[in-house]
Amino acid sequence: MKQRIVTGVIAGLVFITLLVLGGYWYAGLIVLLSIIGYREYMQMNGFTKYKLTAVVGLISLLYLTVPWETFGGSLPVSTSAIIWLTMFVLLFITVASKNTITIDQVSVILLGVIYIGFGFNYMIATRLAEHGLFWSIVVFVCIWASDSGAYFVGSKLGKHPLWPQISPKKSIEGAIGGVVISMIAALGFAWYAPDMLGLGKALVLGFVIAVVGQVGDLIQSAYKRVKGIKDTGTLLPGHGGVLDRMDSWLIVFPFIHWLGILTH
């Protein structure tokens, strides 16, 4: 527990500092985390020996994650085009390898590129948007409030399993507690900056972040259960890997952007 607390405090301070600095600092951190997360994903799926497919996936991941245009670069092809091209190259590899590398294997790689690439891309996009620091903090605080609320309420009041086949320790009471605490946190931001976030929008935002974040957590739990592992990595002693700590983030940020909740 002591190691977990120390690691959490240090990692949290570094993350918040770079989030506040924004720009290249924050974007660089998120891109680095996406690379580490991709490596964890590849190892989790046993793809370390398929070096060519791993490189193809990494190139595609970086293309999706890095905010090229924001920093003066230009994209020769669209996001949808790069996804299609990645699919094409990976499928061609199955042919060229005479099915030594199968369609099942490259399908998992493509899924990982989309899952990780879009998730981290929208974290950067949120920070680079107008009032990006405010909105980023709102989203992160609501996610953390949901996680903490679910844990503490579940520990004290949890009696009914939420999804025992996937995550035996999670309870319905904990899930509800996480939603309520997230909504309260969002209302706190509405009180602090009413010109930025109205009460109605805050309630919706807090609710959506908590529900979608818990789904993201369950997605990663389901994946790890299939693979028979406890953690996706060992980057943060006592906390696991990037995908363990950021499973909610990877789902929440794209989801709320596509719903248009953060538009002001």
Side-chain angles (χ1 to χ4, degrees):
M1 180 58 70
K2 180 179 179 182
Q3 182 188 51
R4 184 181 177 88
I5 293 173
V6 171
T7 302
V9 169
I10 294 174
L13 288 174
V14 171
F15 183 83
I16 291 171
T17 299
L18 296 179
L19 173 63
V20 172
L21 289 174
Y24 289 105
W25 293 100
Y26 181 66
L29 171 65
I30 296 301
V31 171
L32 176 60
L33 290 174
S34 74
I35 294 171
I36 297 172
Y38 174 74
R39 181 174 178 271
E40 291 176 358
Y41 180 86
M42 295 295 286
Q43 289 181 332
M44 182 170 60
N45 285 284
F47 288 126
T48 51
K49 65 180 179 180
Y50 300 118
K51 295 182 179 179
L52 180 57
T53 51
V55 171
V56 171
L58 179 60
I59 292 172
S60 180
L61 175 83
L62 292 174
Y63 197 97
L64 292 177
T65 305
V66 176
W68 304 103
E69 294 175 332
T70 302
F71 295 123
S74 60
L75 297 176
V77 296
S78 65
T79 297
S80 59
I82 196 62
I83 293 173
W84 190 92
L85 286 170
T86 303
M87 178 197 70
F88 173 75
V89 172
L90 289 173
L91 290 176
F92 176 75
I93 290 173
T94 67
V95 175
S97 70
K98 299 178 181 178
N99 273 337
T100 300
I101 298 172
T102 68
I103 190 171
D104 293 339
Q105 293 165 342
V106 298
S107 297
V108 171
I109 292 173
L110 183 61
L111 175 63
V113 168
I114 295 172
Y115 169 56
I116 298 169
F118 274 112
F120 283 112
N121 172 272
Y122 278 101
M123 291 178 209
I124 299 175
T126 301
R127 180 63 181 89
L128 293 176
E130 185 179 7
H131 308 300
L133 179 58
F134 174 80
W135 290 119
S136 295
I137 292 175
V138 169
V139 176
F140 281 124
V141 168
C142 285
I143 291 174
W144 295 330
S146 174
D147 290 344
S148 299
Y151 175 78
F152 288 110
V153 173
S155 298
K156 297 294 184 180
L157 304 176
K159 294 182 180 180
H160 301 88
L162 176 65
W163 218 304
Q165 298 88 345
I166 300 299
S167 187
K169 294 183 179 180
K170 290 182 173 60
S171 66
I172 294 175
E173 293 83 359
I176 294 173
V179 172
V180 172
I181 299 301
S182 175
M183 293 172 72
I184 292 173
L187 286 174
F189 285 101
W191 172 80
Y192 174 75
D195 56 324
M196 293 283 293
L197 183 62
L199 292 177
K201 186 174 180 180
L203 289 172
V204 172
L205 187 61
F207 178 83
V208 170
I209 288 175
V211 172
V212 176
Q214 290 183 38
V215 171
D217 190 310
L218 288 170
I219 289 172
Q220 195 60 233
S221 294
Y223 214 147
K224 289 189 291 187
R225 184 165 290 274
V226 168
K227 298 300 177 182
I229 59 175
K230 182 179 182 294
D231 296 318
T232 61
T234 58
L235 176 67
L236 301 172
H239 292 268
V242 167
L243 298 183
D244 291 308
R245 294 300 93 203
M246 302 174 188
D247 47 12
S248 299
W249 308 8
L250 291 170
I251 300 297
V252 167
F253 276 90
F255 195 90
I256 59 176
H257 267 273
W258 293 333
L259 287 183
I261 294 178
L262 295 189
T263 57
H264 176 68

